[in-house]
Amino acid sequence: MSVETGIRFQNIVKAFGPKRVLNGVSFDVHKGEVFFIIGASGVGKSVLIKHLVGLLYPDEGEIWLDGEEISKFDEVRMGPVRKKCAMVFQHSTLFDSMTCAENVALPLRKHKGLTLKESVAEAKRRLHVVHMQEFGDRYPPELGDGMRKRVAIARALTLEPEYVLFDEPTTSLDPVSARRVDKLIRELSDTLGVTSIVVSHDLSSIFTIADRIVMLYKGHVRLLGTRDDFKHTPDGVVNQFINGRAQGPMDL
Amino acid sequence: MPEDAIPRHTQVFAAAGTAFLRVATTAGGMGILLFRILARFFPPRIDGGEIWKNLYKMGVKSLPIVAITALFTGAIMVVQAATIVKRYSAEGLLGWGAGFGTLREIAPLLTALMISGRVGANNTAELGTMVVTEQLDALRVLAIDPIGFLIVPRFVSIVATLFMMTLFADALALFGAAHTGKALLNVDPVTFYNGFTAGLLDFGDVANGLTKSVVFGVVIGLASCHFGLATTGGAPGVGRAVNAQVVASAAGIFVLDYVTSFILG
Amino acid sequence: MATTSPGQASHPADVDPVPEAHAPPGPVAALGGSAIDLFLGGKELLSVFIRTLYYSVRGKREKGAFTTQMYEIGNKSVFFLSITMGFIGMILVYQSGLQAKRVVPDYTMLGATYLELLVRDFAASIGALMLATRVGAGIAAEIGSMVVTEQVDALRMCAADPIDFLIVPRFKASVIMTTVLIVWAGTVAYLTGAATAYVAFDVAPQTFFNMALIDVGDVSVGLAKCLAYGAAIPVVSGYCGLSTFGGSEGVGWATTRAVVNTSLTIIILNFFISTAGFLIFPG
């Protein structure tokens, strides 16, 4: 299988006030893989992927998406990028005032020119894929976290994106829901060829579905490699993190 | 802010300057928002379905409170006029006396204050909650323009709601006034209604009040959307935003009331 | 007084996946429902008011809280109130000048009539509506966030009645400060009114400052309104704050309800006090 670069982060620097969260981060993401970004809380994992869809802009550095430099795009030119890169938020972030079906229908109605009725019917078909068909008419606050997450994934997939960003998809889910989400992510890549970028510190997800992993530490890339590379690294910091030990060389 | 470092007598100036800057920032932010809203009309990129949804939520649901306010306001206007009417025993002028102030000033003003409290504050709370829970970012990630999808429909609905509610309040306030006149001063409602069709009041007075209602609607719409969008700091931030919105709307309504009163003459 | 808002349902976890079917209520049911809500809300409000009065007399005296609230309610509202009342003074005189112009272009009694209306009604009622927005929203937001963060429950656990602890200092402070602020607001409105009369209708200040029409009735009605509004603002908005529910979003709704309900209460109180005043002191 030939390796094709989809996304390239080049020397990204981002500071919030005096705090430099990202301090020259560079790596590539290949097309069709499940790519994990891991690291301790507050290390800037979510910050990094928000740069990709224009929710944040880097202070320095470049972001290449399919051969286009997108880090200086304005809101209008970001439009096509956002249709290509969908994002699933950490807290699902469904629109509370709409039913689940309407949530999924919204991008269809806005971008595919469907009427409200057509789009809701289509949305219910999409909900079927994530096994949420019977909850189409319920409002998100009535549902549990796992269900909301599945609706959020259905919403992200409506525009047939090439890339899907997952911000801590399994955090705050029970173990069964978490493994179901993992399975869904893996299937997206295997069956539809979608590239998934997953921000996570859930160790069991990392070692079941990741193709390649990057670990961020203190604003830099600490290690980039496959699951095996991570398991056999001599690096004490990485070792401590992937084994979840309280004692070790890592400082926060 | 290290306030201790500043000499005490200059703190007043510092406070005044800070207050001024804050007012200027708010006014500037609202101006930019207005510009961005207007830009969505040429060419129209507005979600029509959202406008209807908001009109129902804001308009229909505000009817009871506007009705109560208007009935009592009309009654109060007559009670206030009653002393003067008795003094000069000018019962024929009661309708005109109460009607003039009601149509031109009090009905638009009180309706606007109530709508600011009910609809404007609700709108700020809703937008603020969406901002702090990242729902606005979720819209942007779906490549949907939050201004065209969320803000413009709300803004249009608030202006339209206030206009219609003022019309409604005008009618109900005069109704309440007529019946209070009957109860309190034994002025027949017919005499009362004749009082303001006799030529001293005309459509200009109604139009005057309605023009004001549009101005107030713009103020409330802008203030509530601006403070909603500018919400920071989680749930307590939403409370603060609502508070700031009602205060800014009230101040804006009074200042612009004065300006429009003078311009319309 | 309870206006229900959507989106307040608490979030049950994955336990209840069966959608319950509830038919939308018919118009009669809706009307009856809101009547019952109004009645229950009114009853609870009355109980809060009575308990506030009781603790105002019998409760422990918290000096610090009282002065803090005097500052919060009083001093911090002066700027806002001066601006709004200054403008309303100009508007009212301008409008009544226009009104007078249509019948008899005689402005000699403009100042006297304006002062009478100001003392009897406008200073107190419009000033109180402004305070309802600023002070009422503040009280509801503050108490509301204490409710959702369970601080009020913590108070109860310490055997402190939240009404004694939270509402009573605000109540006392508000009754005093509302009266003071309204006297100030009336003064501001009168002065800006005099300036407008001079500029727009050429009425000399000597003619405008005419106290001939003020009598005991006007002053007592005005004062009664100050006290009633001063008492109503903290009780109604405190009640709205204490009845906050639905987590963090609830604070926003509670604030909204406080503004609307306090304003409505003021308008309704105004009607009753004005009517009573007219019947007791006719002309």
Side-chain angles (χ1 to χ4, degrees), chain C residues 36-53:
Chain C
I36 291 172
D37 279 351
L38 198 68
F39 176 72
L40 289 180
K43 220 173 94 180
E44 270 182 62
L45 193 62
L46 191 68
S47 118
V48 171
F49 180 58
I50 290 169
R51 275 151 74 196
T52 309
L53 281 184

Side-chain angles (χ1 to χ4, degrees), chain A residues 50 75 82 95 110-111, chain B residues 47 133-135 140 142-143:
Chain A
K50 281 185 179 170
E75 200 74 355
R82 287 170 177 165
F95 304 113
K110 279 290 181 185
H111 297 304
Chain B
D47 197 293
T133 57
E134 292 187 305
Q135 290 181 48
R140 288 170 63 201
L142 294 171

Side-chain angles (χ1 to χ4, degrees), chain C residues 55 70 72 81-82 92 140 147 160 201 210 224 227 232 250 259 268 278:
Chain C
Y55 284 120
M70 296 261 278
E72 283 288 322
L81 205 63
S82 307
L92 285 175
V147 170
F201 306 108
N210 181 349
L227 294 177
V259 174
I268 293 171
F278 175 74

Side-chain angles (χ1 to χ4, degrees), chain B:
Chain B
M1 269 291 159
E3 280 179 31
D4 302 332
I6 309 167
R8 217 180 155 67
H9 57 276
T10 58
Q11 272 185 26
V12 179
F13 296 104
T18 317
F20 177 77
L21 279 181
R22 209 170 43 226
V23 172
T25 315
T26 308
M30 282 165 60
I32 293 171
L33 186 62
L34 180 64
F35 177 78
R36 289 166 69 190
I37 289 172
L38 292 180
R40 297 313 189 275
F41 285 94
F42 312 103
R45 279 165 290 163
I46 300 158
D47 197 293
E50 283 291 304
I51 292 191
W52 287 113
K53 211 166 114 184
N54 280 301
L55 270 180
Y56 172 76
K57 207 170 62 188
M58 295 172 176
V60 179
K61 299 255 168 113
S62 308
L63 278 175
I65 144 167
V66 171
I68 296 175
T69 310
L71 284 172
F72 276 97
T73 307
I76 292 165
M77 289 303 281
V78 166
V79 178
Q80 296 311 336
T83 328
I84 301 166
V85 167
K86 264 207 159 161
R87 194 176 294 151
Y88 302 110
S89 50
E91 273 83 1
L93 282 177
L94 180 65
W96 169 74
F100 186 91
T102 308
L103 293 177
R104 287 178 71 105
E105 198 58 55
I106 301 296
L109 191 65
L110 283 185
T111 312
L113 288 179
M114 289 320 255
I115 292 286
S116 157
R118 168 88 178 57
V119 174
N122 246 330
N123 188 34
T124 307
E126 234 171 65
L127 286 176
T129 309
M130 290 188 80
V131 169
V132 298
T133 57
E134 292 187 305
Q135 290 181 48
L136 234 66
D137 282 348
L139 268 185
R140 288 170 63 201
V141 164
L142 294 171
I144 296 168
D145 170 30
I147 303 280
F149 182 71
L150 281 180
I151 305 299
V152 177
R154 283 154 197 268
F155 178 78
V156 171
S157 307
I158 289 177
V159 176
T161 299
L162 188 54
F163 182 81
M164 292 185 288
M165 286 300 144
T166 306
L167 210 53
F168 176 65
D170 278 351
L172 274 182
L174 293 180
F175 177 80
H179 287 269
T180 315
K182 170 84 179 121
L184 217 58
L185 295 168
N186 209 15
V187 176
D188 191 58
V190 176
T191 322
F192 183 89
Y193 292 130
N194 279 337
F196 50 80
T197 46
L200 284 166
L201 279 179
D202 55 22
F203 180 69
D205 295 307
V206 181
N208 187 305
L210 289 177
T211 315
K212 282 182 182 174
S213 79
V214 173
V215 176
F216 298 161
V218 171
V219 173
I220 297 171
L222 278 182
S224 67
C225 291
H226 170 77
F227 283 104
L229 290 178
T231 305
T232 48
V238 178
R240 275 198 303 273
V242 172
N243 205 339
Q245 185 278 132
V246 281
V247 170
S249 292
I253 285 169
F254 278 93
V255 173
L256 285 174
D257 187 2
Y258 173 72
V259 175
T260 32
S261 289
F262 254 95
I263 292 174
L264 296 174

